[in-house]
Amino acid sequence: MTLENWYYESNEEIKERAGIALGSLKINLTIISLVSVLISFFMVSNIYTGLFISRKIEFGILLSIGGTKLNNFFLFLILSVFMGFIGGSIGVYLGVTISNQNLVKTVSTLTDTMQIESYNDYPIEIILYGISLSIFGSIVSALFNAIKAYNILPIELLRDRDQLTTNFPFILSKHAILVISLFLILLGFFIGNIKIEKQILPGLAGVGFVIFGFVTLNYILIPYIINGIEKLTKNINLSPSFYMGIKEVGMESWKNGLIVSTIMLSTSLVFTLSTLTSSYQTSLKHWIADENKSDFSLINEEKLNSGEPGVPIDLFETLKSKTIFLDVEPFYINPKLTLNGKFFTLHVLNFPESLDKNRILVSKNLCFLEKICKGDSITLTTEKKGPVTLEIQEEKEHFFSERGTILMDFQLFKQLYTIEFLNSIRLTLKKDKNYHDGYHLIHNISKEYGLIHLDQIKLGELYLQGMDQVFSVLDTLKITAIAISVLSLITSIFYYVKEKSRILAGLKAIGMSLSQLYFLLFYQILFLVTTGITSGIVNSLILSPIVVYGINRNAFGWDLAFTFPVHFVAKLPIIIPIFSAFITIIPFYFVSRMKISKELNYE
């Protein structure tokens, strides 16, 4: 055995190649993770707001018995550190456990399930980083309420509500903040779509500006939306529960702005992810239709997952002699073609007569990323002729490789390289021949050589299935985002019931029925959910182009076909009321069991 044909890769080279191979997933997961952390931040901030409201009398008591404002401040911060540590530890444990259960892992042609299952060790720095991030996020989330705890007065013992601390004390006027919010959104959209190859920082900055602009916009717009609803419905005989419900939302615009922002981010994440995956699917379908117009493709199923060629070259020569076929086309892939010290993908196929078969093509993303474009020349080290310089005759939109693709004619490839196996053979039947006879011949040949045959539909399904496997983890993140929003909403309404228990008990005492109380809660939840989802849809309409045309374009050079899930938006007018009615059951359960005598007892 000789080692002259072996190639040695260092540990760093293997990691770099794996990182490039899953680059799109890695970058998109980074963006999604940042948004998910932000969603959690708003949810935790909302929880701390509810915690402060439910404990503000106790802070007043501490001041009355000799405590200091600084004691209250650090008491809240210490609580946040403790909760952040506990939550982070539980989160890391659940994350490691779920990862090891193979529930949300992805596979590709370079990483199969068995290979991924061997990666069971998590570096200690990753675990510490996760817990530290949880503690830091918890402190930041609690900081505003810690300041409120510092500024609290002993008179809180006598108040049901502190009118001075229900809303966030912005220094600027609401009109100024409205203008700044809109400016940040427009600025983020502009920066996010700047095209700079291999740079995702403009996209990330754009996403940050847009999100921050929408968060402040949600807080500012709540009173305006409520006033608009009141004006539109003033001539309509609506129930008192409706007006009381939306009035209560307006009186706590900062706290409810957090809820709306949480729902907005979750909705935006779901729609942006759906847009991203739909855009990938649409682009992949277009690529399949443009690249492969044959009736059938012969492939080696055993070699498919590894990406290695497995169809014998002599079968190609045999099929060319069959008169039943209009066209027999070879297809070969080399995912590790070395050029200028980097790995690129080589596609070998039959060029049409309109192209010069002694020159090559490059994908548009290779031109964008590496500046190797039409009219340039590249030098390849070949097996048969050594270094060969080839001219690029054209650029082609080629949705396949994240690194860039070089396309070469099959006859030219045979002159430069030795080939024993193909990745597939594409077969097109003559229209005047019997389809059944052609299919029967292909079936027998496939069986004889241990291959499988796929028509256009099955081939497309195979490509889409591979893409879905790689991006399957995104579906889990969608569910997680929705769950966080629901938890935030339930927590907020629960604290509302606790804070307003005396008011709700008083309403029951003066004759308000349980159905009226239910609708009082329902209209609040309906308003928050509708506002949050609407804001999230608008937010995703701005973020999705940044992710598709900004971040993915800069990182991989692809011009994806933008596809927004409009069909799902059309279903929301039905889903939102049903969802709100279901969520309302939870706080209503506590209200229905509320004892009037106990809640109205001030002793």
Side-chain angles (χ1 to χ4, degrees), residues 6 43 257 303 378:
W6 286 64
M43 186 198 73
K303 298 286 187 178
I378 63 172

Side-chain angles (χ1 to χ4, degrees), residues 68-86:
T68 65
K69 292 184 175 183
L70 205 58
N71 291 145
N72 284 353
F73 178 81
F74 283 111
L75 181 62
F76 213 97
L77 282 189
I78 292 173
L79 175 64
S80 69
V81 171
F82 177 76
M83 293 181 66
F85 176 77
I86 297 297

